[in-house]
Amino acid sequence: MSLLKNLPKSFLVRIILTNGDHAHIRTYFGIKDETSIEDRLKSFSKVKLIEYIDNVGGSLKSNAEAGIELFPLKSAPTLYIINVTSNINYSSIQQISNTLADRGRSEALFFENDRVIRCVYLRRELSRISLSPTVYELVIGYEKRIETTEWDPESSDYGETKLVYSLENALLWFSEEKKRYAIAACSDFSAVAPIIKYLSSKFQIDASLPDLTEDMLFNIAEGGQIKNATFSNALGHRDNLIDACTITIYDEDLSNRQIYQEMRGQENREQRAGFYSSHPDLLRAGIGITRRYGRVWTPAHLNRDELLKLSLGIVSKLDRQLEIASRDHLKDFIVYYSNSPVIIGSTSLVGQARSVFDSIIYYVISAGRSNQKRVRVPDDILKDLIIYRDKLKLGTSIMYECENCGTRNIKCSNCNKNIDVSVENNEIVFKCPDCNFELDAEAHICECGNHCPVFDPISQILFYPQVELLESIDKYISNLHPSVENPKLFVIVGHEVRILNTRTNDRARRVSLEELSFWRTRAHLHTYNPLSQNRLIRILGRLREKCPINNYHPNGQECERCLQSLPTTRQLEEGNVCLLRAFGIPIDIDFDGIHHGHEVADIVYTDQINGRNVRIGIHAKSKANSYPRNGLGRSENKIKGLYAQLYYTLYQISHGQQQFDILGISIPNRISADVLNSMESILLRFGVSFIAIDRDCWVKIIGLVKEKLQFNN
C-alpha cells in the first residue's frame, strides 16, 4: 500500500469529495441517490478509499499525495516536551544532519537485540518549517520490534513466534525563540529514550523528559473543559471514603461534579493526568495531559500544522510557568527537572539517590537565597544524606571542640578510630566502624585528656561535598532554565545547610613551601638537598602531632617550657619533639601542639610571597600507618579529618571569623594526586590558595631541623 495509508480517513474522504466526480463516486461505491456521499464514504475502510484514489489517478491522486507531507506520521502521536540542556547551534546541526541524512541507516544508533527499538537514524536533514516563530524539524526514523504468533492450525508455522520490524517516523521540533525546549511527536513511548540518546550521540544535544507539576498541568490545560481526571495520594494517605491510592473519574460535566471538587480540595491528593475538550490550541478533538514525562496526546490524527500550533502553545505556557516556579515555587521547579541525568564522578544516580540529589539542590539554592545563608534540613532528608553519602560524594565527620586541640574528629574510646554515623532501624546511630563500639557522647574524652561531652551528636555531623559533587551541582544548576544562582560552596552541619560565601581571587593557586619568603631567606629550603634521606625518614616516623609527654597529651604549660629553648638532636631523633615545633625551627618561629582558643588551624603565621604578606593556616596530622601505592586516599581517616577541618576553616572565613590567604594540610605521608587536586579545587573555588606539606617536604624540613640543632648544640 502507498504512503496514502498515513493519511486519516477524514482527509481521504474530503479529498475524494473535493476532487472526484460525484456520479462516478456513487457508481463505484454503490451509493444510492438518497444517501449522503460523505456519510457513506466514512463507512468504508481506508484500504477501499485508497483503492479508489489509485484507480481514478490524475488530479485526485496527486492532490491526495500532496497531503502526505501534511501527515508524516501513521497515526495520532503523543507530544513529548523535551528539556534541552545544551546550547543549540543550528548551523552545526544543519551540517551534521546533512551528513547523517545522506548516509541514512549506515549511521544508525543500534541498541541491544532484546530492546523494542532496534535502531534510530535520521531520515531527513534539518529543515525550517515555520517562519514566525522560526521552527526547525528533524525527521527521525526508528525500527520497532513486533512479535506475532501464528494461530492458524492449518499453517505449518502454527504456534511459532515470528519477528518483524516496522519502520516508524518521529518528528522533532526546535524553536529558535525557545531554545531550551524541543517537542517530539512520536507514536511509541518506547522510542523516546532511544531518540534522546541518539540526539546526544550524534548531535551532542543533552536532553531529558520533564515531570510536570500540578500547576503546570492546569496551566497547559487552561481554557479546556475537563472530562476525566486521575488523582493519586501524594503523601501515601487514604481517606475514609476512597481507600484507593489512584483513582480516575469521568463525566461530561466533571468540573461541576462534587467528587471532582472534593478531590481537588484534598491536600493529600494530586491530579496526575486529565483529558480536556474544547482546548483553545485545538480546533477539534481534545487533549490528554500526563504529568509523568510531560506527555500531551490527542485522539485526533492532526496534521503537521495543527500539531505544531499545539506544541508552540504548550512551550509558551510552560516557559511562563517555569519562570514563576523558579522564583516562587522552587520545589516545583526542581521536580520539573527530576529526570535530567546526573553523574557524580563515574556513577549515574538513579532511584532514591537521584531524589536525594534533588533535595541537596533544593536546600542549597534555598540557603543561598536566605538572609542568614542557611536553612534547616528535616530528619528524613538528613537520614537519606547519611544513607546515600557515598554515591553522592558527601564526606562526613563527627566533630567536637576542645579548648586545647581545637576542632577534632570524635574517636572511638575503645580503638581510637574515627566514630562514624549510620542509619539503623530508621534511627541515627553513632558507632565505630571497626569495633562496633557505640559512642558514649556525654562521657567523651579528648585525646588530650579533657572531658569534652557531646550532648547533641547529630548537631556535630559535618557533611562536606567532594569536588565531584560540586562539579555535578555546577553542571546541573547551569542547565536549569530559567537560570538560578549557584552558591558554589556549602557544608551541612547537623540539620543545617550552610552556604560558604566565596570570593573572587585571581591570585589563588597551589603554593609550594619553597615559594614562601621565610622558607627561602631563613631556611633556604629551595636549595636544600638532604644526603641521608632514609635516616631522616626514620626520624620523621617517630614524630607526631603532639609530643610523648603525658602519653601524647601535653598541656599548655608543658608546651610553654618546651618553647623556652631549642630541643636537642637526641630529643628529635627519639621522637620527643612534636611535628608543629619541628616545623617552626628552620624559620625561627615557635609553634606548639596546643590550640590557643582563637586559633582555627594547627599552624598559623604570616609570611610573604613575591613581596606580599600572606596569612597562612595549616591543618596538621600525625603520620598514618598505611602506605597505599599512590599515596593516602580519601578513605584514610586522617585525610577525612583534614577535609573536614579545611571546610570548617572555610566556613569561619566566609562569616568573617577568620582571615587566611593560604590554607593547607600537613601529614608526613605520600598523598594521592586525587586528594591534592580535589582539595586544591575546593579551596580555589572558595578563593584561597592551597599548600600541601607531604612526606617529601617533611623529609627536607627534618633535615634542616637536625642540622640547626647540631649547629646549636
Side-chain angles (χ1 to χ4, degrees), residues 386-567:
I386 295 169
I387 293 169
Y388 294 101
R389 56 186 161 165
D390 291 340
K391 289 183 178 180
L392 295 167
K393 293 294 182 183
L394 265 178
T396 53
S397 286
I398 320 301
M399 312 296 290
Y400 72 98
E401 287 285 336
C402 172
E403 61 181 11
N404 283 339
C405 307
T407 305
R408 286 290 187 266
N409 290 87
I410 297 179
K411 293 187 178 295
C412 174
S413 59
N414 185 51
C415 68
N416 207 39
K417 300 290 184 181
N418 285 352
I419 289 291
D420 199 8
V421 60
S422 59
V423 176
E424 299 178 7
N425 299 319
N426 204 35
E427 295 292 332
I428 296 176
V429 177
F430 298 87
K431 62 171 62 175
C432 176
D434 284 10
C435 70
N436 224 29
F437 196 80
E438 288 201 23
L439 170 68
D440 186 351
E442 294 187 11
H444 176 252
I445 304 294
C446 179
E447 290 177 283
C448 71
N450 270 359
H451 179 218
C452 299
V454 183
F455 296 110
D456 182 13
I458 291 178
S459 68
Q460 302 302 311
I461 304 173
L462 173 68
F463 296 91
Y464 54 88
Q466 295 284 7
V467 68
E468 292 88 350
L469 174 58
L470 293 172
E471 289 173 350
S472 181
I473 290 174
D474 284 350
K475 181 178 179 181
Y476 189 84
I477 291 182
S478 69
N479 288 332
L480 297 178
H481 170 78
S483 61
V484 295
E485 186 176 353
N486 180 6
K488 293 292 187 183
L489 210 55
F490 67 95
V491 291
I492 304 172
V493 182
H495 282 96
E496 281 190 344
V497 173
R498 300 179 182 179
I499 300 302
L500 279 60
N501 300 315
T502 59
R503 59 195 188 186
T504 302
N505 182 4
D506 295 335
R507 293 176 173 175
R509 60 182 177 85
R510 188 185 296 190
V511 175
S512 69
L513 202 61
E514 295 176 354
E515 294 180 74
L516 299 174
S517 178
F518 289 173
W519 289 94
R520 295 180 69 84
T521 59
R522 298 181 183 181
H524 305 288
L525 181 66
H526 59 295
T527 61
Y528 180 68
N529 289 303
L531 297 178
S532 55
Q533 284 203 15
N534 289 337
R535 186 173 183 183
L536 294 176
I537 290 172
R538 287 195 295 272
I539 294 173
L540 183 60
R542 300 185 189 109
L543 304 186
R544 294 177 61 172
E545 187 181 345
K546 291 182 171 61
C547 74
I549 293 176
N550 294 332
N551 194 27
Y552 295 97
H553 294 147
N555 57 39
Q557 291 179 339
E558 289 158 343
C559 287
E560 282 294 324
R561 280 197 297 271
C562 174
L563 293 174
Q564 297 304 312
S565 62
L566 286 174

Side-chain angles (χ1 to χ4, degrees), residues 111 115 120 188-199 209:
F111 300 92
R115 296 279 292 273
V120 176
D188 296 288
F189 176 67
S190 58
V192 179
I195 288 172
I196 289 176
K197 190 169 184 179
Y198 178 82
L199 287 177
L209 296 176

Side-chain angles (χ1 to χ4, degrees), residues 542-543 547-548 562 567 570-578:
R542 300 185 189 109
L543 304 186
C547 74
C562 174
R570 182 175 179 180
Q571 284 178 303
L572 176 72
E573 291 179 341
E574 291 178 349
N576 292 321
V577 178
C578 73

Side-chain angles (χ1 to χ4, degrees), residues 42-321:
K42 288 179 179 178
S43 68
F44 288 100
S45 67
K46 284 174 63 174
V47 173
K48 196 70 175 176
L49 298 176
I50 292 171
E51 284 178 358
Y52 175 75
I53 294 171
D54 287 336
N55 182 272
V56 173
S59 62
L60 174 60
K61 185 171 182 179
S62 61
N63 285 325
E65 289 176 340
I68 293 173
E69 187 61 25
L70 286 174
F71 295 91
L73 303 176
K74 293 180 182 178
S75 58
T78 297
L79 299 177
Y80 295 90
I81 303 161
I82 295 178
N83 296 322
V84 177
T85 55
S86 52
N87 293 322
I88 293 183
N89 184 321
Y90 288 110
S91 60
S92 173
I93 294 176
Q94 184 74 68
Q95 293 176 1
I96 297 170
S97 72
N98 290 343
T99 301
L100 294 175
D102 285 342
R103 296 178 181 176
R105 195 176 187 274
S106 64
E107 282 287 338
L109 180 65
F110 281 86
F111 300 92
E112 293 81 2
N113 290 333
D114 59 347
R115 296 279 292 273
V116 175
I117 305 302
R118 176 166 63 180
C119 63
V120 176
Y121 51 95
L122 197 64
R123 301 203 69 194
R124 187 186 298 174
E125 68 276 4
L126 186 74
S127 60
R128 188 166 59 182
I129 61 170
S130 172
L131 294 177
S132 182
T134 300
V135 177
Y136 296 93
E137 178 183 86
L138 286 175
V139 180
I140 292 179
Y142 57 92
E143 296 177 7
K144 182 175 70 171
R145 176 190 181 109
I146 300 174
E147 291 184 359
T148 61
T149 303
E150 179 59 69
W151 292 113
D152 182 358
E154 302 298 325
S155 172
S156 59
D157 298 330
Y158 176 70
E160 291 187 8
T161 299
K162 296 180 180 179
L163 178 63
V164 295
Y165 285 90
S166 172
L167 176 58
E168 306 289 343
N169 284 344
L171 306 179
L172 274 174
W173 293 319
F174 303 90
S175 170
E176 196 168 65
E177 185 180 282
K178 308 288 187 183
K179 290 188 176 182
R180 301 307 292 266
Y181 307 91
I183 293 285
C186 181
S187 300
D188 296 288
F189 176 67
S190 58
V192 179
I195 288 172
I196 289 176
K197 190 169 184 179
Y198 178 82
L199 287 177
S200 175
S201 174
K202 301 296 184 180
F203 292 95
Q204 288 72 57
I205 295 176
D206 295 327
S208 63
L209 296 176
D211 275 353
L212 304 180
T213 65
E214 193 174 44
D215 284 343
M216 292 173 188
L217 183 153
F218 296 150
N219 189 257
I220 293 172
E222 189 176 8
Q225 297 178 10
I226 189 163
K227 298 299 180 183
N228 72 46
T230 298
F231 290 88
S232 67
N233 264 327
L235 304 177
H237 296 164
R238 298 188 181 188
D239 59 43
N240 294 329
L241 297 177
I242 302 173
D243 61 355
C245 290
T246 303
I247 182 171
T248 299
I249 52 179
Y250 167 83
D251 192 89
E252 282 294 327
D253 191 23
L254 187 59
S255 61
N256 292 318
R257 296 296 175 235
Q258 182 179 348
I259 187 172
Y260 175 73
Q261 294 171 359
E262 287 181 356
M263 290 283 184
R264 284 287 305 270
Q266 291 179 6
E267 289 187 6
N268 61 307
R269 287 199 184 271
E270 287 188 357
Q271 186 175 333
R272 303 297 305 176
F275 186 82
Y276 299 81
S277 65
S278 304
H279 192 274
D281 289 329
L282 279 181
L283 294 177
R284 54 197 172 97
I287 64 167
I289 306 169
T290 303
R291 287 170 53 185
R292 183 67 170 154
Y293 299 129
R295 291 172 284 183
V296 179
W297 58 276
T298 176
H301 192 171
L302 304 179
N303 63 38
R304 178 190 268 107
D305 292 340
E306 291 171 321
L307 286 170
L308 188 57
K309 179 189 176 186
L310 177 59
S311 299
L312 293 175
I314 292 169
V315 167
S316 181
K317 288 181 177 181
L318 190 57
D319 195 53
R320 289 195 299 269
Q321 194 71 19

Side-chain angles (χ1 to χ4, degrees), residues 583-623:
F583 183 86
I585 289 172
I587 56 174
D588 299 322
I589 296 179
D590 292 335
F591 297 118
D592 60 47
I594 296 294
H595 273 245
H596 298 281
H598 64 281
E599 291 180 356
V600 72
D602 298 294
I603 297 170
V604 177
Y605 81 107
T606 299
D607 207 322
Q608 286 194 338
I609 186 166
N610 297 326
R612 178 173 55 91
N613 283 348
V614 287
R615 191 161 189 261
I616 301 167
I618 299 172
H619 295 284
K621 293 290 183 188
S622 302
K623 180 171 173 288

